[in-house]
Amino acid sequence: MISFTQNAARYVSKLSNKLRRKLDMFSLREEFSGSQGRTLHFLLSQTEDVFQKDIEEEYSIRPSTATELLKQMEKNGLIIREPVAYDNRLKKIVVTDKALLYKQQVVEDLTTLEETLIKGISEADLQVFFKVIEKMMDNLSE
């Protein structure tokens, strides 16, 4: 039996908080937050049109949270939302030239974070970790 101090939800929460703090430290705070940087990284890596729903699904966030995140990114001049020709209700998210200036920094920051996060963990252990995390997410989706 797992003791109270080894509670899975508690550990996941602690890891999430530490990751969020690291992301915020990597950010160019005068330009955007860690969450915006992470979202910018996602947007810059896409080859097809991206919509708000894609952001919601990628980060498992609520529509209202995604709306606020994207509003702030738009206010910061990192993205614009453009209607698509086939459905005026849909607005694709397009990165601006200003956002492209930060591409290298964002990629470097997230690469450094990933390297730090998995340092000293074997490939086999990482595969088990991903399998367990996927199962936990599936359990919470039921």
Side-chain angles (χ1 to χ4, degrees):
M1 175 119 190
I2 296 177
S3 72
F4 177 72
T5 58
Q6 291 181 313
N7 181 289
R10 183 171 161 250
Y11 273 75
V12 170
S13 180
K14 287 171 70 171
L15 178 60
S16 176
N17 288 337
K18 284 184 181 241
L19 279 170
R20 195 171 300 112
R21 282 194 296 272
K22 284 286 189 187
L23 280 169
D24 285 340
M25 284 175 31
F26 281 138
S27 296
L28 303 170
R29 290 179 186 237
E30 65 277 358
E31 294 298 332
F32 52 84
S33 70
S35 296
Q36 290 175 26
R38 187 176 57 149
T39 304
L40 187 56
H41 182 265
F42 173 74
L43 291 169
L44 291 167
S45 67
Q46 302 307 301
T47 57
E48 296 188 18
D49 288 348
V50 178
F51 302 93
Q52 179 171 323
K53 188 75 174 159
D54 300 317
I55 303 294
E56 294 165 14
E57 289 173 7
E58 178 67 16
Y59 297 109
S60 296
I61 58 177
R62 293 183 176 121
S64 58
T65 303
T67 297
E68 287 306 312
L69 172 67
L70 295 173
K71 274 185 189 176
Q72 195 60 44
M73 290 179 75
E74 203 165 22
K75 180 180 174 186
N76 291 344
L78 299 172
I79 64 163
I80 55 174
R81 291 185 260 194
E82 297 179 346
V84 291
Y86 56 89
D87 187 342
N88 283 337
R89 296 170 296 173
L90 283 177
K91 303 235 186 302
K92 68 181 177 179
I93 301 165
V94 180
V95 295
T96 62
D97 289 340
K98 178 181 179 180
L100 292 173
L101 296 174
Y102 298 116
K103 181 177 183 173
Q104 182 177 345
Q105 184 65 50
V106 168
V107 169
E108 286 175 12
D109 287 349
L110 292 175
T111 300
T112 299
L113 177 60
E114 182 70 16
E115 289 170 352
T116 301
L117 187 62
I118 64 171
K119 182 174 55 178
I121 302 172
S122 72
E123 184 68 31
D125 285 346
L126 279 174
Q127 292 307 315
V128 170
F129 168 77
F130 291 130
K131 183 177 179 180
V132 169
I133 288 293
E134 287 289 334
K135 180 62 178 158
M136 288 178 171
M137 289 191 301
D138 288 347
N139 289 345
L140 292 175
S141 295
E142 293 176 354

